[in-house]
Amino acid sequence: NNARTLAGTNNRSVIRRVNYTVRNGDNLASIANRFRVNVNDIARWNNINTRRYLQPGQNLTLHVDVTRN
């Protein structure tokens, strides 16, 4: 039930690859909220275990829908 495909062809998503450097205090949930993506997607895109802590300075690749507000 992907809402984007049901919305029609006029509302196409534009996905951008974003490189993000983890900062002190970041966690997967806060990063997911900031970029409006799913925690499990971040883990899959970066091949990381969701049970492990992120390290400051660690680089993540995010696939962000830039058409969303």
Side-chain angles (χ1 to χ4, degrees), residues 8 10 14 21 30 38 41 43 45 48 60 62:
N10 291 338
V14 177
T21 302
S30 67
N38 186 292
D41 286 338
W45 296 328
I48 56 176
L60 299 176
L62 309 174

Side-chain angles (χ1 to χ4, degrees), residues 15-68:
I15 306 296
R16 294 269 187 261
R17 193 167 87 191
V18 175
N19 293 317
Y20 180 78
T21 302
V22 175
R23 298 179 200 148
N24 219 5
D26 275 347
N27 59 50
L28 284 176
S30 67
I31 296 167
N33 276 341
R34 189 174 309 144
F35 290 96
R36 294 190 176 108
V37 295
N38 186 292
V39 167
N40 292 325
D41 286 338
I42 297 174
R44 185 169 40 88
W45 296 328
N46 294 279
N47 196 26
I48 56 176
N49 185 335
T50 56
R51 294 184 191 135
R52 295 210 169 172
Y53 289 106
L54 297 175
Q55 300 299 318
Q58 183 176 350
N59 291 311
L60 299 176
T61 299
L62 309 174
H63 299 274
V64 179
D65 183 350
V66 295
T67 57
R68 297 172 90 187

